[in-house]
Amino acid sequence: MSNLLGVVRRPGVARLGGGGLVSEIGDWMMFIALPLFVLQLTGSPLVTATVFALQLVPSVLVGPLAGVLVDRLDPWSLMAGVAAGQAVALLGLLAVDTDAQLWLLYLIVGVQAVLSTVIEPCRAVTAAALVPVEDLATVNQVMGVLSNSARLIGGPLGGLALGLTGIEGVLVAVVALYLLTAATFVIGTRSLRRPGGLHVDDHATASPAEGSSVSRLGKDWREGMRVVATTAVLRRVMAVAACTGIAQGAFIVLFVLFVVRDLHGSETDVGILRGVQAIGAVAGGLLLGVLIRRWSPARLASVALAAFGALSLLVWNAPALTTELGVYIALFIAAGVPGMAAMTGLLTLLQTHTDPGSRGRVLSTFFAVFSGVQAAGMLLAGLVGTGAGLTVALQAQACLYLLAAALSLRITTTPPATPAGQRAGRPVLADRVSSSQRQGALRGAAPLCEDAVASTRRARRKRGRT
């Protein structure tokens, strides 16, 4: 706990965590309120489902390119601009009052999803740059606890606000939260210089010979993909993310069918069980410090995924013994602990084994892979019926987590080199040295080396004469 508090006290960490908490409360309010609003507006479950799908598509299509922006721009300014953009975009929903304006709603949801795709990896990159390497898992622990706290606060608050004030009241509250987030990050921009990554004046401005902005964007994106493809640890983490994402996507659909068929539950029971998992994630996040100090990130992820798979098998098969709701509330709270630990371990592996100048692209690729296969998992689960097919699908979904745990065991890591500028626990201030600078340094060192060799030879000849 002392190490956790020490990380929180580091410059910028509390500001980053606080801004992320406020922003994610707004995200969860909209996540709950918007589909309910669409259902009220259209009465169509299919149209409501498309709102969820629209929130995943941009992560797949735009995510890797968003990582280029994260690597090239000042993160505090980028996060402030994104939060302000989210606030402005949401104001357009005030014009939606009939199903004839659904096109505008879809447009705004798409814009919101694109902006969220940028800010999520940006927060992870910034958090990694604010602490030394040995505290990466702890800072991810802090951000994970705050993220799940936002889920606990924002979800019920969104439903309550929609019921009391309608969508207009929800929009006013969320816009205010996004503007507060933007102000928090603007202050962060003024108080802290960028802690790592590419400085804009170093890399964002290219000479005409280097090509257009579009070609530079493509080049940077390809470079990020090359980093992932040529780094064994990153490739294996992406494989684990793909396996986990399919299981998570399938869970979103199968879970509802399971509660209705096997537990004979209601919509309220679905909501309760879906929300209490965050309680376990918050509690588990606060207790992760002991494991973080003893286990490597790869081992943490592997054990957590195995525990999550075992708990899933227990949940899916427990109706043979009992359908008491309290039992499942306890099981879902317990499942939040390994879920939090697994994501902490995976993010720490990505941050630790990626050069700070490439973290944005690597983390964006990770989130894009996870979102893409999550959508595929939803579609596959949607093909399952409520009979024997559902029973088989539930077992397969749990086994996917066990497979992800086995894949995590193959992540063999070596201690990463300490990035330039990071010494004695100080944050990274510069991440790259250009090839011309390296060559210049070598040229400058060459005469010194030659002088040293010549001096050694003269000394040997003198000793031989005497």
Side-chain angles (χ1 to χ4, degrees), residues 178-394:
Y178 285 156
L179 291 177
L180 178 58
T181 301
T184 302
F185 290 146
V186 166
I187 296 172
T189 304
R190 294 178 178 177
S191 61
L192 291 168
R193 288 294 299 167
R194 181 174 189 191
L198 298 176
H199 290 286
V200 178
D201 55 353
D202 292 338
H203 292 274
T205 305
S207 62
E210 295 180 17
S212 65
S213 297
V214 174
S215 64
R216 292 200 307 273
L217 183 68
K219 180 180 179 181
D220 287 346
W221 175 77
R222 290 191 298 273
E223 174 64 19
M225 297 299 100
R226 186 194 65 79
V227 170
V228 173
T230 58
T231 307
V233 171
L234 301 184
R235 290 198 308 271
R236 290 168 182 170
V237 171
M238 296 299 171
V240 173
C243 193
T244 306
I246 292 175
Q248 181 62 27
F251 168 82
I252 293 173
V253 177
L254 297 176
F255 161 72
V256 177
L257 300 176
F258 167 78
V259 173
V260 172
R261 187 195 74 168
D262 294 357
L263 300 186
H264 312 292
S266 63
E267 291 83 355
T268 302
D269 296 332
V270 171
I272 291 173
L273 292 174
R274 190 73 174 92
V276 295
Q277 191 173 348
I279 298 175
V282 172
L286 294 174
L287 300 174
L288 265 182
V290 176
L291 296 179
I292 286 173
R293 289 193 297 270
R294 295 181 180 179
W295 291 354
S296 69
R299 184 181 180 188
L300 178 65
S302 181
V303 172
L305 288 168
F308 200 92
L311 277 171
S312 297
L313 284 173
L314 179 59
V315 168
W316 302 146
N317 293 284
L321 301 176
T322 179
T323 58
E324 180 64 37
L325 184 64
V327 172
Y328 294 90
I329 290 177
L331 288 174
F332 272 83
I333 291 175
V337 178
M340 167 76 178
M343 187 57 69
T344 298
L346 293 176
L347 284 177
T348 303
L349 281 168
L350 292 173
Q351 293 164 333
T352 305
H353 292 275
T354 305
D355 180 83
S358 303
R359 277 183 184 149
R361 283 163 286 177
V362 171
L363 286 166
S364 294
T365 301
F366 171 80
F367 290 124
V369 168
F370 191 86
S371 296
V373 297
Q374 189 176 11
M378 290 181 189
L379 294 175
L380 289 173
L383 300 175
V384 174
T386 58
L390 174 58
T391 302
V392 173
L394 290 171

Side-chain angles (χ1 to χ4, degrees), residues 27-200:
D27 292 343
W28 275 102
M29 289 182 67
M30 290 305 300
F31 183 79
I32 297 299
L34 190 58
L36 292 174
F37 169 67
V38 173
L39 187 60
Q40 293 171 0
L41 199 66
T42 65
S44 170
L46 178 60
V47 174
T48 303
T50 60
V51 174
F52 287 102
L54 275 175
Q55 296 175 0
L56 290 176
V57 172
S59 296
V60 180
L61 301 179
V62 184
L65 294 178
V68 177
L69 296 179
V70 175
D71 285 334
R72 294 181 69 88
L73 302 178
D74 176 85
W76 296 97
S77 299
L78 182 58
M79 289 186 292
V82 166
Q86 287 178 303
V88 172
L90 277 184
L91 292 175
L93 286 178
L94 293 173
V96 179
D97 52 11
T98 68
D99 56 3
Q101 285 93 33
L102 274 180
W103 66 270
L104 179 58
L105 184 143
Y106 284 141
L107 177 62
I108 293 171
V109 169
V111 170
Q112 287 284 84
V114 169
L115 293 174
S116 297
T117 299
V118 174
I119 201 169
E120 189 172 13
C122 193
R123 281 203 300 259
V125 168
T126 307
L130 288 171
V131 298
V133 171
E134 60 268 20
D135 287 333
L136 282 176
T138 303
V139 78
N140 289 329
Q141 172 191 2
V142 171
M143 297 303 159
V145 168
L146 292 173
S147 180
N148 282 281
S149 299
R151 176 180 174 180
L152 283 175
I153 298 169
L157 191 58
L160 180 63
L162 182 66
L164 294 177
T165 66
I167 193 64
E168 293 81 4
V170 176
L171 290 175
V172 170
V174 175
V175 166
L177 289 172
Y178 285 156
L179 291 177
L180 178 58
T181 301
T184 302
F185 290 146
V186 166
I187 296 172
T189 304
R190 294 178 178 177
S191 61
L192 291 168
R193 288 294 299 167
R194 181 174 189 191
L198 298 176
H199 290 286
V200 178

